[in-house]
């Protein structure tokens, strides 16, 4: 039955059926084939139960907040401040793109929004400084992978709900891996791009530092407000998403005055469309997961995998290869919803807790956003640069290698993931 349900699912995906509909069709056909037609009534019940979920409200709210921030002038103020702060660094513009993406990821929780907001500003600056067009686009795409690893993160919310773990713990578990990825990308950029961008030698006045800091302070405070509010006990992660959206709305419309009501209407429309797609996929994943559980498929698959990959080393390698491969063809939410039921059963054999496994999955799927042919970050970077997918993909390799090194580090030393939440008493 395990082979049949996944065969049906991938058959639908191969002919271009959207993932949400493919999940529903696969479970319906499998129930009929298994003589469980009476369980058809459970499909709408499971969809409603999954989506009628208070923590899940964080997803559309973070999507809305990210879209407001993308249009609201927050990213350009962050970049102006970082240009002064990092002026003595080699490959300064590339490193600014990475660090600004980390900050923006801590606000928006979305990879494509991070590439569009930060890459859209930094790309022309890098071209002006002499970076090749395909290299600049590759830097923007890889920097955007920090968007879902630095908390808050929409995929972390999805995983936490699917695996029944704490959203707050997932957020804190992503901090150290996210910072390590940012550091690895900065080092790769310094090695690869210092020839285009030498450190500045001139001095900057204290007044200029103060002015750029004053302009950026409201954006810099946002991650502190979101995460400080969650871990200070002032609000839940879902309420934090609402606070983030409200805060972004206020400073974009009334302080920075870069979003008018016409733009705001477009933001609400695009956010509603994006959120509806994500929520539909999440809803359809529930009857699929229910069918798997009722037929003991996750435990059966886990036992089969463990019989082949008996050592922790080989099991971790297998998990990473599978996740990276799926990342080439599926988007993040789909991978999380498909893989979580099976991989949670494998977590003890991998020497990981469910939270550590969740971060491993999120990092893998984030890297998948820069791997062709379906890398969303690549599409956004190619769109803003006008470069072909092939030319940008070739320039990704050094940055991809840097991220894979960090991935292997957190895979075999999961204490890197859990050290901070354990120190805070969250695990």
């Amino acid at each position: 039955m395990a082979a049949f349900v996944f065969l049906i699912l991938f058959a639908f995906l191969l002919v271009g059926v959207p993932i949400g509909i493919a999940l529903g069709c696969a479970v319906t056909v499998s129930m009929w084939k298994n003589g469980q037609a009476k369980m058809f009534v459970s499909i709408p019940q499971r969809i409603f139960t999954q989506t009628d979920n208070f923590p899940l409200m964080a997803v559309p709210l973070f999507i809305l907040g990210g879209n407001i921030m993308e249009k609201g002038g927050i990213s350009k103020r962050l970049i102006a401040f970082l240009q002064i702060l990092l002026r003595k660094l080699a490959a300064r513009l590339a490193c600014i793109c990475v660090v600004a993406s980390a900050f923006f990821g801590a606000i928006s929780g979305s990879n494509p929004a991070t590439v569009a907001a930060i890459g859209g500003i930094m790309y022309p600056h890098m071209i002006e400084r002499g970076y090749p067009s395909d290299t600049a686009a590759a830097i923007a795409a890889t920097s955007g992978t920090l968007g879902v690893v630095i908390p808050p993160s929409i995929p972390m919310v999805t995983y936490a709900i699917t695996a029944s773990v704490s959203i707050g713990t997932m957020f804190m578990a992503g901090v150290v891996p996210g910072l390590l990825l940012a550091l690895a990308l900065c080092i790769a950029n310094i090695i690869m791009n210092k020839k285009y961008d030498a450190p500045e030698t001139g001095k900057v006045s204290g007044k200029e530092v103060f002015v750029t800091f004053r302009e950026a302070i409201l954006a810099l405070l946002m991650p502190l407000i979101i995460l400080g509010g969650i871990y200070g006990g002032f609000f839940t992660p879902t309420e934090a998403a609402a606070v983030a959206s409200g805060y972004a709305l206020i400073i974009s419309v009334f302080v920075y005055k870069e979003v008018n009501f016409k733009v705001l209407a477009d933001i609400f429309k695009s956010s509603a469309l994006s959120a509806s797609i994500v929520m539909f996929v999440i809803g359809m994943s529930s009857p699929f997961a229910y069918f798997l559980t009722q037929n003991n498929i996750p435990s059966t698959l886990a036992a089969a995998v463990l019989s082949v990959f008996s050592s922790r080393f080989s099991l971790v390698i297998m998990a990473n290869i599978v996740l990276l491969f799926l990342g080439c063809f599926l988007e993040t939410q789909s991978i999380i919803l498909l893989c979580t039921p099976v991989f949670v059963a494998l977590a003890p054999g991998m020497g990981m807790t469910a939270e550590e496994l969740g971060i491993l999955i999120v990092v893998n799927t984030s890297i998948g956003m820069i791997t062709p042919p379906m890398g969303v970050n690549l599409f956004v970077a190619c769109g803003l640069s006008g470069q072909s997918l092939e030319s940008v993909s070739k320039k990704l390799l050094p940055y991809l290698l840097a991220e894979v090194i960090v991935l292997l580090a957190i895979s075999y030393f999961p204490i890197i993931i859990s050290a901070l939440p354990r120190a805070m008493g969250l695990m």
Side-chain angles (χ1 to χ4, degrees), residues 123 126-127 130-142 189 193 195-196 377-378 381-382 384-399:
Y123 177 79
M126 287 189 279
I127 296 300
Y131 287 73
S133 297
D134 47 7
T135 298
I139 292 167
T142 51
N189 274 305
N193 300 312
K195 57 189 173 185
Y196 305 121
N377 286 16
L378 274 182
C382 291
L384 64 88
S385 67
Q387 298 296 304
S388 68
L389 186 69
E390 292 79 8
S391 64
V392 176
S393 298
K394 290 175 184 176
K395 297 294 183 179
L396 287 173
L397 293 177
Y399 314 110

Side-chain angles (χ1 to χ4, degrees), residues 74-87 92 96 99-100 103 204 208-217 219-220:
I74 291 172
S75 53
K76 71 180 183 183
R77 287 167 173 82
L78 278 173
I79 288 168
F81 176 61
L82 290 171
Q83 280 182 323
I84 290 178
L85 202 64
L86 302 178
R87 67 188 186 280
R92 177 173 64 107
I96 287 170
V99 176
F103 268 106
V204 176
E208 192 174 352
V209 174
F210 174 75
V211 169
T212 56
F213 176 74
R214 184 185 63 190
E215 286 289 306
I217 185 63
L220 294 170

Side-chain angles (χ1 to χ4, degrees), residues 224-249:
L224 296 178
I225 292 171
I226 296 170
L227 298 177
I230 293 172
Y231 300 109
F234 296 102
F235 37 73
T236 66
T238 304
E239 292 163 348
V243 170
S245 297
Y247 184 86
L249 182 64

